[in-house]
Amino acid sequence: MTKYCRNTAFIGLLTLNLIQISVSSVVSVGDFNKDFYMTWSPSHVNTSADGRARSLKLDKESGAGFASNEMFLFGQIDMQIKVVPGYSAGTVVAFYLTSDQPNHDEIDFEFLGNVTGQPYILQTNVFADGYGNREERIYLWFDPRKDFHTYSILWNLHQIVFMVDWVPIRVYRNHADKGVAFPRWQPMSIKTSLWNGDSWATRGGHDKVDWSKGPFIASFRKYKIDACVWKGNSRFCRGASSTNWWNKDRFSTLTWTQRRFFKWVRKYHLIYDYCQDNKRFQNNLPKECSLPKY
Ligand SMILES: *[C@@H]1O[C@H](CO)[C@@H](O)[C@H](O)[C@H]1NC(C)=O
Ligand SMILES: *[C@@H]1O[C@H](CO)[C@@H](O)[C@H](O)[C@H]1NC(C)=O
Protein backbone atom coordinates (compact mmCIF):
# COMPACT_ATOMS: atom_id res chain seq x y z
CA MET A 1 0.00 0.00 0.00
CA THR A 2 1.22 3.44 -0.75
CA LYS A 3 1.02 6.12 1.86
CA TYR A 4 0.95 9.42 0.13
CA CYS A 5 1.57 12.67 1.83
CA ARG A 6 -1.52 14.77 1.91
CA ASN A 7 -0.83 18.25 0.68
CA THR A 8 -4.38 19.43 0.60
CA ALA A 9 -6.59 21.32 2.94
CA PHE A 10 -9.79 20.46 1.16
CA ILE A 11 -12.28 19.22 3.68
CA GLY A 12 -13.89 17.14 0.97
CA LEU A 13 -10.84 14.93 0.83
CA LEU A 14 -10.55 14.51 4.55
CA THR A 15 -12.51 11.28 4.69
CA LEU A 16 -10.49 9.83 1.88
CA ASN A 17 -7.30 10.81 3.70
CA LEU A 18 -8.42 9.08 6.86
CA ILE A 19 -9.08 5.91 4.92
CA GLN A 20 -5.60 6.11 3.42
CA ILE A 21 -4.06 6.55 6.84
CA SER A 22 -5.82 3.59 8.36
CA VAL A 23 -5.07 1.33 5.41
CA SER A 24 -1.43 2.30 5.03
CA SER A 25 -0.63 1.86 8.68
CA VAL A 26 -1.68 -1.78 8.48
CA VAL A 27 -0.65 -2.90 5.05
CA SER A 28 2.86 -2.45 3.73
CA VAL A 29 2.61 -4.85 0.83
CA GLY A 30 2.05 -3.09 -2.44
CA ASP A 31 0.26 -3.88 -5.67
CA PHE A 32 2.65 -3.50 -8.60
CA ASN A 33 -0.25 -3.16 -11.02
CA LYS A 34 -1.53 -0.16 -9.13
CA ASP A 35 1.62 1.85 -8.46
CA PHE A 36 3.88 0.99 -11.38
CA TYR A 37 3.82 0.81 -15.17
CA MET A 38 6.11 -1.10 -17.49
CA THR A 39 8.79 0.96 -19.15
CA TRP A 40 10.44 -1.72 -21.21
CA SER A 41 9.35 -5.02 -22.78
CA PRO A 42 6.10 -6.00 -20.99
CA SER A 43 6.55 -9.50 -22.43
CA HIS A 44 9.54 -9.86 -20.09
CA VAL A 45 7.60 -8.84 -16.99
CA ASN A 46 5.59 -11.33 -14.94
CA THR A 47 3.26 -10.20 -12.17
CA SER A 48 1.59 -12.55 -9.71
CA ALA A 49 -2.23 -12.72 -9.77
CA ASP A 50 -2.57 -10.59 -6.62
CA GLY A 51 -0.11 -7.99 -7.95
CA ARG A 52 2.22 -8.37 -5.02
CA ALA A 53 5.17 -10.02 -6.72
CA ARG A 54 6.79 -9.17 -9.99
CA SER A 55 9.73 -10.57 -11.89
CA LEU A 56 11.83 -9.28 -14.76
CA LYS A 57 13.37 -11.49 -17.39
CA LEU A 58 16.50 -10.98 -19.45
CA ASP A 59 17.09 -13.11 -22.54
CA LYS A 60 18.73 -12.58 -25.90
CA GLU A 61 15.76 -10.55 -27.10
CA SER A 62 15.47 -8.06 -24.26
CA GLY A 63 15.71 -7.02 -20.66
CA ALA A 64 12.81 -5.31 -18.89
CA GLY A 65 11.86 -2.61 -16.42
CA PHE A 66 9.08 -0.80 -14.62
CA ALA A 67 8.57 2.61 -13.04
CA SER A 68 6.24 4.28 -10.55
CA ASN A 69 3.21 6.19 -11.81
CA GLU A 70 3.90 9.00 -9.37
CA MET A 71 6.95 11.10 -8.72
CA PHE A 72 8.12 11.83 -5.19
CA LEU A 73 10.11 14.44 -3.34
CA PHE A 74 11.65 12.91 -0.20
CA GLY A 75 10.59 9.86 1.73
CA GLN A 76 11.60 6.28 2.20
CA ILE A 77 11.25 3.55 -0.41
CA ASP A 78 11.75 -0.11 0.52
CA MET A 79 11.90 -2.88 -2.05
CA GLN A 80 12.42 -6.59 -1.48
CA ILE A 81 14.62 -8.01 -4.22
CA LYS A 82 15.96 -11.43 -5.10
CA VAL A 83 18.62 -11.08 -7.76
CA VAL A 84 19.30 -13.46 -10.65
CA PRO A 85 20.11 -16.89 -9.17
CA GLY A 86 22.87 -19.20 -10.36
CA TYR A 87 24.99 -17.93 -13.21
CA SER A 88 24.40 -14.19 -13.56
CA ALA A 89 27.67 -12.81 -14.93
CA GLY A 90 27.16 -9.67 -17.00
CA THR A 91 23.63 -9.04 -15.76
CA VAL A 92 22.69 -5.90 -13.85
CA VAL A 93 19.62 -5.49 -11.66
CA ALA A 94 18.86 -1.86 -10.89
CA PHE A 95 16.56 -0.29 -8.30
CA TYR A 96 16.74 3.48 -8.30
CA LEU A 97 15.15 6.89 -8.06
CA THR A 98 15.58 9.28 -10.96
CA SER A 99 14.30 12.69 -11.94
CA ASP A 100 14.63 12.28 -15.71
CA GLN A 101 15.42 15.98 -16.11
CA PRO A 102 18.32 17.41 -18.16
CA ASN A 103 20.37 18.08 -15.01
CA HIS A 104 19.05 14.98 -13.45
CA ASP A 105 19.26 13.63 -9.93
CA GLU A 106 19.51 9.92 -9.32
CA ILE A 107 19.97 7.52 -6.39
CA ASP A 108 21.03 4.05 -7.52
CA PHE A 109 21.31 0.51 -6.29
CA GLU A 110 22.92 -1.72 -8.94
CA PHE A 111 23.51 -5.43 -8.45
CA LEU A 112 26.33 -6.77 -10.59
CA GLY A 113 25.97 -10.47 -11.29
CA ASN A 114 28.74 -13.04 -11.32
CA VAL A 115 29.63 -16.54 -12.43
CA THR A 116 28.15 -19.33 -10.31
CA GLY A 117 29.49 -19.37 -6.77
CA GLN A 118 31.20 -15.98 -6.99
CA PRO A 119 29.87 -12.97 -5.11
CA TYR A 120 27.63 -10.24 -6.39
CA ILE A 121 28.77 -6.67 -6.07
CA LEU A 122 26.31 -4.07 -4.85
CA GLN A 123 27.16 -0.75 -6.44
CA THR A 124 25.54 2.51 -5.36
CA ASN A 125 25.73 5.92 -6.95
CA VAL A 126 24.34 9.41 -6.47
CA PHE A 127 23.76 11.90 -9.26
CA ALA A 128 23.06 15.51 -8.36
CA ASP A 129 22.50 18.26 -10.90
CA GLY A 130 23.39 15.88 -13.71
CA TYR A 131 26.72 14.82 -12.24
CA GLY A 132 27.38 11.30 -10.94
CA ASN A 133 30.77 9.55 -10.71
CA ARG A 134 30.10 8.75 -7.05
CA GLU A 135 30.28 4.98 -7.13
CA GLU A 136 30.69 2.86 -4.04
CA ARG A 137 30.84 -0.93 -4.06
CA ILE A 138 30.36 -3.53 -1.38
CA TYR A 139 30.18 -7.30 -1.10
CA LEU A 140 27.02 -8.22 0.77
CA TRP A 141 27.22 -10.31 3.96
CA PHE A 142 24.77 -12.82 2.47
CA ASP A 143 24.07 -14.30 -0.94
CA PRO A 144 21.42 -12.03 -2.52
CA ARG A 145 20.50 -14.80 -5.00
CA LYS A 146 19.16 -17.09 -2.30
CA ASP A 147 16.46 -15.00 -0.67
CA PHE A 148 14.61 -11.74 -0.80
CA HIS A 149 16.24 -8.91 1.12
CA THR A 150 15.03 -5.39 1.74
CA TYR A 151 16.85 -2.56 -0.01
CA SER A 152 15.86 0.93 1.09
CA ILE A 153 16.49 4.53 0.22
CA LEU A 154 15.83 7.16 2.86
CA TRP A 155 15.92 10.55 1.19
CA ASN A 156 15.26 13.76 3.07
CA LEU A 157 16.51 17.33 3.25
CA HIS A 158 19.47 16.31 5.36
CA GLN A 159 20.78 13.07 3.94
CA ILE A 160 20.38 10.10 1.64
CA VAL A 161 20.82 6.76 3.39
CA PHE A 162 21.13 3.50 1.47
CA MET A 163 20.10 0.53 3.60
CA VAL A 164 20.26 -3.23 3.22
CA ASP A 165 17.94 -5.03 5.63
CA TRP A 166 17.92 -1.74 7.61
CA VAL A 167 21.72 -1.67 7.86
CA PRO A 168 22.99 1.67 6.51
CA ILE A 169 25.63 0.93 3.90
CA ARG A 170 26.04 4.42 2.57
CA VAL A 171 25.30 8.01 3.53
CA TYR A 172 25.33 11.04 1.24
CA ARG A 173 24.91 14.14 3.34
CA ASN A 174 23.40 17.42 2.30
CA HIS A 175 26.37 19.78 2.21
CA ALA A 176 24.69 22.17 -0.20
CA ASP A 177 25.66 25.03 2.12
CA LYS A 178 29.29 24.15 1.34
CA GLY A 179 28.73 24.01 -2.40
CA VAL A 180 28.16 20.26 -2.79
CA ALA A 181 25.23 19.36 -5.04
CA PHE A 182 22.40 17.49 -3.31
CA PRO A 183 19.14 16.21 -4.84
CA ARG A 184 16.57 18.45 -3.19
CA TRP A 185 14.41 20.21 -5.77
CA GLN A 186 13.52 17.69 -8.45
CA PRO A 187 10.94 14.98 -7.80
CA MET A 188 11.98 11.47 -8.73
CA SER A 189 10.21 8.34 -9.86
CA ILE A 190 11.05 4.84 -8.66
CA LYS A 191 12.46 2.54 -11.29
CA THR A 192 13.75 -0.99 -11.65
CA SER A 193 15.38 -2.82 -14.53
CA LEU A 194 17.28 -5.93 -15.51
CA TRP A 195 19.71 -5.57 -18.39
CA ASN A 196 22.85 -6.79 -20.08
CA GLY A 197 25.81 -4.86 -18.67
CA ASP A 198 28.50 -7.31 -19.67
CA SER A 199 30.70 -4.64 -21.22
CA TRP A 200 31.63 -3.54 -17.68
CA ALA A 201 29.71 -5.19 -14.86
CA THR A 202 31.53 -8.39 -13.98
CA ARG A 203 35.27 -8.32 -13.37
CA GLY A 204 35.41 -5.15 -15.42
CA GLY A 205 33.73 -6.72 -18.45
CA HIS A 206 35.75 -9.92 -18.43
CA ASP A 207 32.83 -12.26 -17.69
CA LYS A 208 30.07 -12.14 -20.30
CA VAL A 209 26.40 -13.10 -20.21
CA ASP A 210 26.14 -16.79 -21.08
CA TRP A 211 22.82 -16.96 -22.92
CA SER A 212 22.75 -20.75 -22.68
CA LYS A 213 22.26 -20.30 -18.92
CA GLY A 214 19.27 -17.98 -19.35
CA PRO A 215 16.65 -16.72 -19.18
CA PHE A 216 17.80 -14.62 -16.23
CA ILE A 217 15.13 -13.68 -13.72
CA ALA A 218 15.16 -11.06 -10.94
CA SER A 219 12.24 -10.85 -8.50
CA PHE A 220 10.64 -8.00 -6.60
CA ARG A 221 7.99 -7.96 -3.90
CA LYS A 222 6.64 -6.22 -0.78
CA TYR A 223 7.70 -2.71 -1.66
CA LYS A 224 6.73 0.16 0.54
CA ILE A 225 6.50 3.72 -0.67
CA ASP A 226 6.39 6.17 2.22
CA ALA A 227 7.08 9.37 0.38
CA CYS A 228 5.72 12.77 -0.58
CA VAL A 229 3.86 12.66 -3.87
CA TRP A 230 4.84 15.46 -6.18
CA LYS A 231 1.96 17.79 -6.95
CA GLY A 232 4.00 20.55 -8.52
CA ASN A 233 4.85 22.42 -5.35
CA SER A 234 7.89 21.53 -3.29
CA ARG A 235 6.85 23.50 -0.21
CA PHE A 236 4.70 20.81 1.31
CA CYS A 237 7.23 18.03 0.72
CA ARG A 238 9.99 20.06 2.34
CA GLY A 239 8.11 20.71 5.57
CA ALA A 240 8.31 18.52 8.65
CA SER A 241 4.79 17.31 9.43
CA SER A 242 3.66 14.06 10.96
CA THR A 243 3.18 12.57 7.49
CA ASN A 244 6.57 13.79 6.31
CA TRP A 245 8.23 11.94 9.18
CA TRP A 246 11.48 11.58 7.22
CA ASN A 247 12.13 15.31 7.53
CA LYS A 248 12.09 15.24 11.32
CA ASP A 249 15.24 15.90 13.32
CA ARG A 250 15.47 12.29 14.32
CA PHE A 251 16.13 11.34 10.69
CA SER A 252 18.57 14.14 9.96
CA THR A 253 21.55 11.96 10.82
CA LEU A 254 22.34 8.34 11.63
CA THR A 255 21.47 7.16 15.11
CA TRP A 256 24.16 5.82 17.38
CA THR A 257 23.19 2.23 16.55
CA GLN A 258 23.09 2.95 12.82
CA ARG A 259 26.59 4.41 13.02
CA ARG A 260 27.92 1.21 14.51
CA PHE A 261 26.43 -0.87 11.70
CA PHE A 262 27.61 1.64 9.13
CA LYS A 263 31.19 1.43 10.42
CA TRP A 264 31.02 -2.34 10.36
CA VAL A 265 29.97 -2.31 6.69
CA ARG A 266 32.72 0.15 5.77
CA LYS A 267 35.33 -1.86 7.61
CA TYR A 268 34.49 -5.36 6.43
CA HIS A 269 32.42 -5.09 3.23
CA LEU A 270 33.46 -2.00 1.32
CA ILE A 271 35.48 -2.77 -1.80
CA TYR A 272 35.43 0.54 -3.62
CA ASP A 273 34.79 4.14 -2.63
CA TYR A 274 35.19 6.94 -5.16
CA CYS A 275 36.31 9.11 -2.28
CA GLN A 276 39.41 6.94 -1.91
CA ASP A 277 40.23 6.90 -5.61
CA ASN A 278 42.90 9.57 -5.84
CA LYS A 279 44.14 8.23 -9.12
CA ARG A 280 40.78 8.61 -10.84
CA PHE A 281 40.33 12.15 -9.59
CA GLN A 282 44.01 13.03 -9.98
CA ASN A 283 44.38 13.89 -6.30
CA ASN A 284 41.49 16.29 -6.56
CA LEU A 285 38.72 14.37 -4.79
CA PRO A 286 35.19 15.78 -4.90
CA LYS A 287 34.50 18.24 -2.10
CA GLU A 288 32.05 15.99 -0.21
CA CYS A 289 34.84 13.47 0.36
CA SER A 290 36.44 15.65 3.02
CA LEU A 291 33.15 16.54 4.74
CA PRO A 292 31.51 14.53 7.56
CA LYS A 293 28.79 11.98 6.76
CA TYR A 294 27.00 12.54 10.07
C1 LIG B 1 5.04 -15.95 -13.38
O1 LIG B 1 4.97 -15.87 -11.96
C2 LIG B 1 4.26 -16.93 -11.36
C3 LIG B 1 4.21 -16.66 -9.86
O2 LIG B 1 4.45 -15.35 -9.54
C4 LIG B 1 4.94 -18.26 -11.66
O3 LIG B 1 4.21 -19.31 -11.09
C5 LIG B 1 5.05 -18.43 -13.17
O4 LIG B 1 5.81 -19.57 -13.44
C6 LIG B 1 5.72 -17.24 -13.80
N1 LIG B 1 5.67 -17.37 -15.24
C7 LIG B 1 6.70 -17.15 -16.03
C8 LIG B 1 6.49 -17.29 -17.49
O5 LIG B 1 7.80 -16.80 -15.58
C1 LIG C 1 32.96 -11.84 -9.22
O1 LIG C 1 33.88 -12.76 -8.70
C2 LIG C 1 35.23 -12.34 -8.79
C3 LIG C 1 36.09 -13.48 -8.27
O2 LIG C 1 35.74 -13.82 -6.94
C4 LIG C 1 35.42 -11.06 -8.00
O3 LIG C 1 36.74 -10.61 -8.15
C5 LIG C 1 34.43 -10.00 -8.47
O4 LIG C 1 34.53 -8.86 -7.64
C6 LIG C 1 33.02 -10.56 -8.40
N1 LIG C 1 31.97 -9.63 -8.77
C7 LIG C 1 31.88 -8.94 -9.91
C8 LIG C 1 30.62 -8.23 -10.16
O5 LIG C 1 32.76 -8.87 -10.74
Side-chain angles (χ1 to χ4, degrees), residues 33-290:
N33 291 320
K34 187 172 130 284
D35 294 322
F36 294 89
Y37 69 98
M38 291 167 212
T39 48
W40 182 24
S41 193
S43 65
H44 289 68
V45 181
N46 182 18
T47 309
S48 63
D50 62 5
R52 292 180 175 198
R54 176 168 277 184
S55 61
L56 297 179
K57 181 167 80 174
L58 168 69
D59 61 17
K60 254 190 191 146
E61 274 67 57
S62 183
F66 58 88
S68 61
N69 296 321
E70 301 280 3
M71 297 193 95
F72 307 92
L73 185 64
F74 305 126
Q76 182 167 322
I77 320 293
D78 308 328
M79 180 70 78
Q80 287 198 7
I81 305 173
K82 193 171 131 195
V83 298
V84 178
Y87 188 100
S88 56
T91 71
V92 179
V93 174
F95 162 51
Y96 60 111
L97 305 183
T98 181
S99 67
D100 285 331
Q101 300 293 316
N103 287 324
H104 88 296
D105 295 334
E106 193 172 300
I107 304 172
D108 293 312
F109 274 107
E110 287 179 314
F111 301 83
L112 316 183
N114 216 330
V115 298
T116 312
Q118 293 303 316
Y120 260 77
I121 285 177
L122 173 55
Q123 172 167 295
T124 55
N125 203 356
V126 174
F127 285 73
D129 290 342
Y131 182 80
N133 292 335
R134 296 191 177 92
E135 295 86 357
E136 285 190 16
R137 292 177 161 200
I138 64 167
Y139 285 136
L140 293 159
W141 48 95
F142 52 82
D143 185 349
R145 304 157 162 111
K146 289 224 167 87
D147 293 297
F148 282 93
H149 290 269
T150 305
Y151 302 92
S152 309
I153 296 166
L154 168 68
W155 170 37
N156 61 34
L157 271 169
H158 315 284
Q159 60 177 354
I160 294 165
V161 184
F162 294 77
M163 287 175 280
V164 175
D165 292 333
W166 322 116
V167 172
I169 61 154
R170 176 170 189 176
V171 180
Y172 184 79
R173 262 208 97 64
N174 184 347
H175 286 301
D177 59 342
K178 301 191 181 68
V180 177
F182 185 86
R184 64 204 163 116
W185 300 107
Q186 311 185 74
M188 301 205 253
S189 51
I190 306 162
K191 293 193 175 176
T192 70
S193 60
L194 169 59
W195 44 285
N196 175 1
D198 72 4
S199 61
W200 62 277
T202 308
R203 284 206 291 154
H206 180 273
D207 295 316
K208 301 295 179 187
V209 172
D210 180 350
W211 298 110
S212 74
K213 302 221 165 60
F216 305 98
I217 311 274
S219 308
F220 302 82
R221 71 175 191 194
K222 294 190 181 168
Y223 67 84
K224 185 175 179 194
I225 303 169
D226 205 345
C228 190
V229 175
W230 176 249
K231 306 277 191 202
N233 175 354
S234 68
R235 198 171 54 90
F236 184 79
C237 292
R238 300 172 79 85
S241 62
S242 57
T243 43
N244 294 358
W245 58 263
W246 47 86
N247 282 340
K248 290 186 176 170
D249 275 355
R250 201 146 64 83
F251 301 97
S252 64
T253 183
L254 296 186
T255 64
W256 186 80
T257 314
Q258 283 180 316
R259 284 175 206 193
R260 291 192 54 192
F261 278 112
F262 179 67
K263 285 181 187 161
W264 171 78
V265 172
R266 313 288 296 175
K267 183 161 181 196
Y268 296 107
H269 301 282
L270 185 72
I271 49 179
Y272 177 82
D273 180 354
Y274 74 108
C275 276
Q276 295 169 9
D277 197 342
N278 274 302
K279 199 171 153 211
R280 176 182 178 188
F281 293 98
Q282 295 166 343
N283 292 318
N284 193 10
L285 292 174
K287 199 170 196 176
E288 67 269 21
C289 295
S290 56

